[in-house]
Every structure is written in C-alpha cells, then in structure tokens.
Amino acid sequence: MGTIKLKLDVAKLKNGAAKHTDMYRKASMRASRRMGEDMKKLATSNLESSVRYGTGGLASSIRYRYKEQKGGRVTVSLYSNSDHSDYRELGTGRVGAQSVRMEVKHAYGSVAYTSKDVWVFPTDMDFGVLYGMVSWQSKDGQWFARTHGQKSRPYLFPAYKQVSQKAKQYLSDEFRNVKG
C-alpha cells in the first residue's frame, strides 16, 4: 500500500487579504512549516499515547512537507512512510470497514483496507494474552492467531484536523510579522 498524504491548501485560507508579494509568500511558507511541525508533533503524540506494544518505528516514520505550488499556493502534507501506517489509520478487513469514521473516509477519498474476512497468521507469542485475539499453539510450539481485521485507529487525521482548523490563525500570526 502507498503512504497516506493529507494536504492543506493555504492559499484558500487567505481570503484574498494579500497579494502574493515576496514577503507574503515567505510568511505563507513559514506558517506552512509551523503547521507541518505541529501536525507531526500531534500525530506522534496521538500514536504514542495509544500504542500498547511498539518499537517506535511507526512514530518515527511520521513526516510532513510543505511546498509552494503554482499561483502562490502552499500545500502542507502530513504522512507516514511506513508500509503499515494505512492499516492503523484506516483499519483492515471487516472490522476496519465498520470502524472507520465518515470524516476520515472523506479526507482520504477512499478507504484502503483489505477485503479478507479472516486471517490466520503465525506469531512468536500468544496474541490472545496481548490483544485478545483467538490464538493457539501447534504441537511443534508455533503460535498462530486469527483475526477479522483491526479497527481504524487514526492518528494522522486528528492531527491534521486540529491544525487545519487553526490555519487562518497560523497565517495571521505570520502575516502580522510582515514588515512593509
């Protein structure tokens, strides 16, 4: 699966208040960088506060980028470069399809989850104890677990939503500092 990218178009938030002079362009870029930094911090905090067992790999994969587009628009993207970020954000299987919220579906355009009904997979421990999943051990000592998927546990989208609701304030703060 690909990475998840959420974009915020800063130019739409300016309400035509200023032409894209060089000073305002730079202010837009500074505001975009601040939004990206804050989204990353929030997403990392969202993830770390909800992980029961983890290595920190998913949290360290959270990235943002801001880029100036044609017409003076600045786009801020929040994403993870982890191959399993999608599974956590959107869920998997029947469980994921039933748990992902409509606003999250709308933000991503479509929900990427697998269509399998049941998975059985080998593990190195009893997932029943860790995650409450049906699990068993074979005669040779190999553990197996069964799942119908995992529920959606968004961490990127809530960070994006929280920061994007304050986007005008980020821009106002930076525009207020423009001298000229």
Side-chain angles (χ1 to χ4, degrees):
M1 292 189 140
T3 59
I4 298 171
K5 295 180 182 179
L6 300 173
K7 296 182 179 183
L8 177 65
D9 189 348
V10 177
K12 289 181 182 177
L13 302 169
K14 288 179 57 177
N15 294 332
K19 300 283 184 201
H20 272 281
T21 62
D22 192 48
M23 291 181 295
Y24 283 104
R25 183 185 62 76
K26 288 177 182 177
S28 292
M29 293 297 281
R30 285 192 307 271
S32 299
R33 185 184 70 244
R34 282 185 44 224
M35 284 186 268
E37 290 169 355
D38 288 352
M39 284 191 292
K40 180 179 176 179
K41 286 177 192 171
L42 285 167
T44 301
S45 176
N46 292 342
L47 181 64
E48 290 175 344
S49 68
S50 66
V51 171
R52 189 190 257 177
Y53 303 98
T55 63
L58 189 54
S60 66
S61 75
I62 299 170
R63 303 279 190 269
Y64 74 92
R65 91 174 129 244
Y66 58 102
K67 182 178 176 184
E68 188 172 15
Q69 308 285 327
K70 288 184 179 180
R73 288 191 168 98
V74 180
T75 304
V76 182
S77 301
L78 176 67
Y79 63 98
S80 167
N81 63 8
S82 167
D83 60 353
H84 67 278
S85 173
D86 307 30
Y87 304 133
R88 177 169 177 99
E89 187 80 9
L90 302 171
T92 59
R94 179 175 56 191
V95 174
Q98 294 169 352
S99 69
V100 67
R101 295 189 322 261
M102 199 49 105
E103 64 181 342
V104 176
K105 286 181 184 180
H106 178 72
Y108 290 103
S110 65
V111 179
Y113 59 84
T114 55
S115 60
K116 287 183 180 181
D117 187 45
V118 176
W119 290 267
V120 174
F121 56 95
T123 71
D124 56 358
M125 62 184 76
D126 182 355
F127 272 29
V129 171
L130 288 177
Y131 303 111
M133 300 168 76
V134 174
S135 61
W136 63 93
Q137 196 170 25
S138 66
K139 289 179 183 178
D140 66 358
Q142 174 66 58
W143 280 98
F144 291 90
R146 184 185 82 198
T147 182
H148 291 281
Q150 67 178 358
K151 69 180 185 169
S152 170
R153 296 172 292 159
Y155 63 102
L156 295 172
F157 179 76
Y160 163 81
K161 185 176 179 183
Q162 187 174 347
V163 170
S164 66
Q165 289 173 342
K166 299 177 189 173
K168 287 183 181 181
Q169 186 61 50
Y170 283 88
L171 288 166
S172 293
D173 292 348
E174 292 299 331
F175 288 166
R176 200 173 301 116
N177 294 327
V178 172
K179 307 274 192 263

